[in-house]
């Protein structure tokens, strides 16, 4: 059964407020208002799939939120975006102009937004309920008529129109409907009845006897204070194909304001020179502790953890301390973690690390997030500042 | 984010899953989402030729800005970005350095010895899947085959011995 407009706006508000409270949504969402009027987006089969509601700060439109109208989507909140402005009226004008271009004889009495290939949107022009033209939003390219379904369900080809609702297996649809209802029930509790969620604020859901948190997540800050700035950590690419340990040590020491370059660190760690570099032998993993303590005049108390578990990483990051992480044959550093506290439908709770990886040479990558379940963690090095 | 992407376990499905993860704001940032092109998934092979994972490049213009790595069952291993800050694409590698097989082949050919011919590159990893490289087989006239690893501008022979590097 479709949701009423008032309920849609209320659900959108709770969902966005929860994400804001969990800091999944950043400051740009603070004090954003949710429009009451939304644009219905239809499935190809005519059912309203979801509504796109405008987000605004005062009179300035700032973005939009998509809220499901059909239970088959599984979750009320589909997407939200800050930046792109959703202007239904302007889009209809642009689309109508594009429709008339080269089609002077075109007649229609209704235009609606359709997810012709979810989540891609088009304008569908109708005459007495029958489609006469469909144009993809923004590109205004004509969407071709439905092709024969000589393919697997839910595997459409490029620029093919297809119905999400008609192609979704019945079992998945039932399961998603259950999830949808469960999620709605989260917001239908006495503690929230007097709350007006139409304005997104970090504090909105901080109510006595009501707690919701979607993620446990933290990245290195300037200090342990949550309000301090971040990121407060920099990536260093390894300068040779075997200096990952040197680059990792450099990153951690830089965090503590020690400036040693990789050439010097290689010398201390026995990694050779730029011209004839070598890796750190497995038998010498303890050298990392010795070298880091020596180079900081023992201001850092470094500990090596063998086969480190999740809690080692999480606890160190909570204490605002980066770690070096050894995986087979390679070394990187860890500067954050995320852990899902709510398992969404058909999903397993995710635990991930924010990894500053010095590979590839002279570049490196920031991995946000590395799936903790798919990696082998051999050693980790934590460091505690003892004295200054 | 969850551990499992909803996709078929084929290159098209994997790329689709990557696109959904980016579009749904699960990974990446707004500047990347606005400008990114998600390319076809490339197989990452173990040295025995078995499929290890899928590499899905994300480009902005001519730059390789980020990539996904999925296990064959479509479990997301990682999303990694070359951008130091959101929207800073200029410092990212030139995409063809990672994606143009001819370019990779010719880079390896610079270290080819006499009587060696260059074979077809394949994407693999140096000891750990974090260290993605292209392996280029060089075949000696006597039939011996050796590999060269190419990671952007870095070209080297696979390392012997147990080291972290």
């Amino acid at each position: 059964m479709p949701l009423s407009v008032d309920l849609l706006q209320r659900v959108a508000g709770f969902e966005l407020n929860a994400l804001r409270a969990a800091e999944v949504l950043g400051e740009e969402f603070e004090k954003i208002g949710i429009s009451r009027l939304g644009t219905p987006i239809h499935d190809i089969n005519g059912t309203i799939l979801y509504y796109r509601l405008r987000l605004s700060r005062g009179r300035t439109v700032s973005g939009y939120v998509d809220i499901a109208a059909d239970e088959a989507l599984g979750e009320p909140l589909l997407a939200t975006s800050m930046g792109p402005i959703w202007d239904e009226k302007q889009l209809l004008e642009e689309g109508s102009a594009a429709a008339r271009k080269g089609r002077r004889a075109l007649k229609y009495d209704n235009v609606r937004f359709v997810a012709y290939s979810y989540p891609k949107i088009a304008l569908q022009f109708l005459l007495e309920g029958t489609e006469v033209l469909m144009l993809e939003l923004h590109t205004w390219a004509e969407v071709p008529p439905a092709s024969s379904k000589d393919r697997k369900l839910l595997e459409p080809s490029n620029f093919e129109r297809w119905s999400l609702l008609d192609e979704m297996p019945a079992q998945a649809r039932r399961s998603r409907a259950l999830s949808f209802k469960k999620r709605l029930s989260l917001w239908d509790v006495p503690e929230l009845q007097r709350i007006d969620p139409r304005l997104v604020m970090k504090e909105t859901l901080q109510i006595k006897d009501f707690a919701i948190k979607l993620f446990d997540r933290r990245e290195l800050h300037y200090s342990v204070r949550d309000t301090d700035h971040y990121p407060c950590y920099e990536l260093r690419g390894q300068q040779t194909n075997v200096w990952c340990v040197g680059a990792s040590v450099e990153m951690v020491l830089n965090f503590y304001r020690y400036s040693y370059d990789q050439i010097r660190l290689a010398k201390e760690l026995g990694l050779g020179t730029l011209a004839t570099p070598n890796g750190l032998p497995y038998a010498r993993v303890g050298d990392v502790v010795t070298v880091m303590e020596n180079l900081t005049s023992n201001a850092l108390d470094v500990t090596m953890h063998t086969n480190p578990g999740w809690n080692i990483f999480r606890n160190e990051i909570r204490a605002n301390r980066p770690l070096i992480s050894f995986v087979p044959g390679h070394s990187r550093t860890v500067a954050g973690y995320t852990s899902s506290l709510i398992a969404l439908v058909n999903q397993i709770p995710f635990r991930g690390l924010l990894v500053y990886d010095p590979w590839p040479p002279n570049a490196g990558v920031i991995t946000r997030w590395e799936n903790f379940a798919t990696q082998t963690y051999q050693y980790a090095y934590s460091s505690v500042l003892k004295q200054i | 984010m969850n551990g499992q992407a909803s996709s078929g376990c084929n290159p098209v499905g994997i790329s689709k899953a990557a696109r959904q993860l980016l579009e749904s704001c699960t990974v990446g940032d707004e500047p990347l989402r606005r400008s990114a092109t998600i390319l076809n998934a490339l197989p990452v092979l173990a040295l025995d030729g078995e499929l290890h994972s899928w590499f899905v490049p994300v480009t902005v213009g001519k730059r390789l800005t980020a990539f996904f790595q999925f296990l064959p069952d479509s479990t997301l291993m990682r999303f990694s970005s070359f951008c130091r800050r959101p929207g800073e694409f200029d410092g990212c590698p030139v995409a063809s350095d990672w994606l143009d097989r001819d370019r990779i082949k010719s880079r390896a050919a610079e270290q080819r010895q006499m009587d060696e011919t260059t074979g077809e590159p394949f994407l693999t990893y140096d000891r750990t899947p974090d260290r993605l490289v292209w392996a280029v087989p060089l075949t000696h006239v006597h039939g011996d085959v050796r590999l060269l690893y190419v990671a952007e501008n870095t070209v080297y022979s696979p390392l012997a011995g147990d080291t972290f590097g």
Side-chain angles (χ1 to χ4, degrees):
Chain A
M1 193 173 132
L3 303 181
S4 70
V5 172
D6 285 337
L7 184 56
L8 276 167
Q9 188 192 24
R10 196 167 166 77
V11 169
F14 281 128
E15 292 283 339
L16 291 179
N17 273 293
L19 292 171
R20 177 72 192 113
E23 293 194 351
V24 174
L25 298 180
E27 284 288 335
E28 69 273 23
F29 278 84
E30 189 68 12
K31 295 191 177 166
I32 285 290
I34 302 161
S35 159
R36 185 174 181 277
L37 295 176
T39 306
I41 313 288
H42 298 75
D43 185 83
I44 286 288
N45 73 10
T47 308
I48 296 178
L49 266 184
Y50 63 94
Y51 284 85
R52 178 160 288 185
L53 283 75
R54 290 207 297 192
L55 300 176
S56 50
R57 190 184 304 279
R59 288 183 178 180
T60 309
V61 179
S62 305
Y64 61 79
V65 57
D66 290 341
I67 292 292
D70 196 287
E71 298 172 339
L73 288 165
E75 292 285 333
L77 180 68
L78 302 176
T80 184
S81 186
M82 193 55 70
I85 292 171
W86 178 256
D87 188 335
E88 179 184 326
K89 192 179 165 198
Q90 189 185 336
L91 287 167
L92 285 171
E93 284 173 5
E94 284 178 24
S96 300
R100 284 191 296 271
K101 211 170 180 180
R103 301 181 193 89
R104 291 196 169 195
L106 181 74
K107 287 183 179 171
Y108 57 90
D109 54 18
N110 189 18
V111 186
R112 65 186 181 189
F113 291 82
V114 290
Y116 76 91
S117 173
Y118 180 81
K120 294 176 184 167
I121 303 174
L123 279 185
Q124 188 181 38
F125 297 80
L126 303 143
L127 181 62
E128 294 175 356
T130 303
E131 180 186 316
V132 290
L133 181 67
M134 187 184 291
L135 298 180
E136 188 183 48
L137 219 59
H138 302 296
T139 67
W140 307 122
E142 184 169 353
V143 181
S147 57
S148 64
K149 281 191 181 168
D150 189 18
R151 59 163 173 79
K152 285 184 185 172
L153 292 176
L154 300 174
E155 290 189 7
S157 57
N158 193 29
F159 209 48
E160 177 184 344
R161 67 167 72 188
W162 60 284
S163 164
L164 177 71
L165 295 181
D166 292 349
E167 295 202 18
M168 187 180 293
Q171 194 184 350
R173 205 166 163 165
R174 279 194 297 274
S175 157
R176 284 168 167 237
L178 275 175
S179 167
F180 188 88
K181 284 174 183 153
K182 195 174 162 189
R183 187 75 180 189
L184 280 191
S185 68
L186 185 68
W187 308 122
D188 187 22
V189 291
E191 295 92 328
L192 297 179
Q193 277 177 1
R194 289 185 181 176
I195 300 293
D196 181 355
R198 290 173 298 178
L199 197 64
V200 180
M201 288 193 295
K202 204 173 171 183
E203 298 80 27
T204 302
L205 293 178
Q206 288 176 2
I207 305 158
K208 194 169 175 282
D209 301 328
F210 181 79
I212 181 169
K213 200 175 172 194
L214 300 177
F215 296 95
D216 173 16
R217 177 178 289 173
R218 185 164 179 91
E219 297 178 24
L220 292 178
H221 286 52
Y222 180 71
S223 80
V224 289
R225 294 182 189 183
D226 286 343
T227 49
D228 280 1
H229 73 265
Y230 76 103
C232 197
Y233 199 66
E234 289 293 339
L235 175 66
R236 308 286 180 224
Q238 57 188 85
Q239 283 179 258
T240 77
N241 63 303
V242 285
W243 278 5
C244 61
V245 178
S248 299
V249 171
E250 184 188 14
M251 283 189 256
V252 171
L253 290 182
N254 278 179
F255 177 77
Y256 290 108
R257 305 295 188 270
Y258 291 96
S259 292
Y260 292 102
D261 62 23
Q262 288 180 36
I263 295 169
R264 168 74 191 279
L265 290 168
K267 191 178 171 189
E268 298 291 334
L269 289 159
L271 304 179
T273 63
L274 263 181
T276 53
N278 56 266
L280 182 75
Y282 281 12
R284 284 188 14 224
V285 289
D287 288 11
V288 174
V289 174
T290 315
V291 168
M292 288 181 70
E293 289 184 343
N294 286 345
L295 290 178
T296 59
S297 304
N298 289 317
L300 285 183
D301 181 7
V302 182
T303 305
M304 183 173 85
H305 308 267
T306 306
N307 300 320
W310 172 258
N311 288 352
I312 299 259
F313 292 103
R314 187 198 60 193
N315 293 346
E316 286 303 302
I317 296 299
R318 280 182 176 172
N320 209 46
R321 297 191 290 252
L323 302 99
I324 294 174
S325 158
F326 277 19
V327 296
H330 192 46
S331 164
R332 319 85 41 79
T333 65
V334 174
Y337 71 87
T338 186
S339 174
S340 304
L341 297 179
I342 294 179
L344 303 176
V345 69
N346 294 334
Q347 296 182 349
I348 52 173
F350 179 85
R351 290 191 305 185
L353 294 179
L354 171 59
V355 174
Y356 280 57
D357 188 338
W359 188 267
N362 300 308
V365 289
I366 299 172
T367 296
R368 185 192 307 265
W369 305 97
E370 173 180 271
N371 190 337
F372 193 76
T374 65
Q375 184 59 276
T376 303
Y377 299 93
Q378 283 186 310
Y379 300 100
Y381 299 85
S382 59
S383 39
V384 178
L385 198 58
K386 283 197 304 188
Q387 56 191 13
I388 295 176
Chain B
M1 179 190 277
N2 64 348
Q4 197 95 15
S6 55
S7 74
C9 301
N10 56 64
V12 176
I14 293 287
S15 290
K16 189 175 159 193
R19 189 168 295 113
Q20 283 171 349
L21 286 171
L22 188 63
E23 286 174 356
S24 66
C25 310
T26 308
V27 296
D29 48 54
E30 195 50 40
L32 184 67
R33 247 185 302 285
R34 272 202 306 270
S35 326
T37 301
I38 294 182
L39 303 183
N40 291 336
L42 300 172
V44 178
L45 304 178
L47 285 182
D48 61 6
E50 287 288 308
L51 175 67
H52 173 271
S53 51
W54 292 100
F55 172 79
V56 185
V58 180
T59 59
V60 173
K62 292 182 177 177
R63 300 282 177 176
L64 177 67
T65 51
F67 60 87
F68 293 82
Q69 205 172 348
F70 290 92
L71 288 176
D73 70 356
S74 79
T75 297
L76 177 66
M77 288 175 68
R78 59 171 170 153
F79 172 77
S80 298
S81 170
F82 286 99
C83 303
R84 304 290 172 110
R85 305 275 183 277
E88 282 187 8
F89 304 130
D90 287 347
C92 297
V94 175
S96 57
D97 281 344
W98 278 97
L99 305 176
D100 182 340
R101 286 166 197 259
D102 289 338
R103 196 175 173 113
I104 290 155
K105 216 169 150 177
S106 64
R107 201 150 262 162
E110 291 167 13
Q111 292 197 14
R112 187 178 59 194
Q113 293 171 1
M114 284 178 64
D115 301 328
E116 281 184 333
T117 52
T118 313
E120 278 309 303
F122 60 95
L123 192 57
T124 184
Y125 52 88
D126 172 11
R127 292 172 286 170
T128 180
D130 277 16
R131 297 165 64 99
L132 289 169
V133 289
W134 284 89
V136 183
L138 299 177
T139 307
H140 193 267
V141 69
H142 299 309
D144 296 342
V145 180
R146 69 180 180 110
L147 292 177
L148 276 183
Y149 286 162
V150 181
E152 207 181 342
N153 298 320
T154 306
V155 184
Y156 63 100
S157 297
L159 303 163
D162 293 334
T163 61
F164 293 97

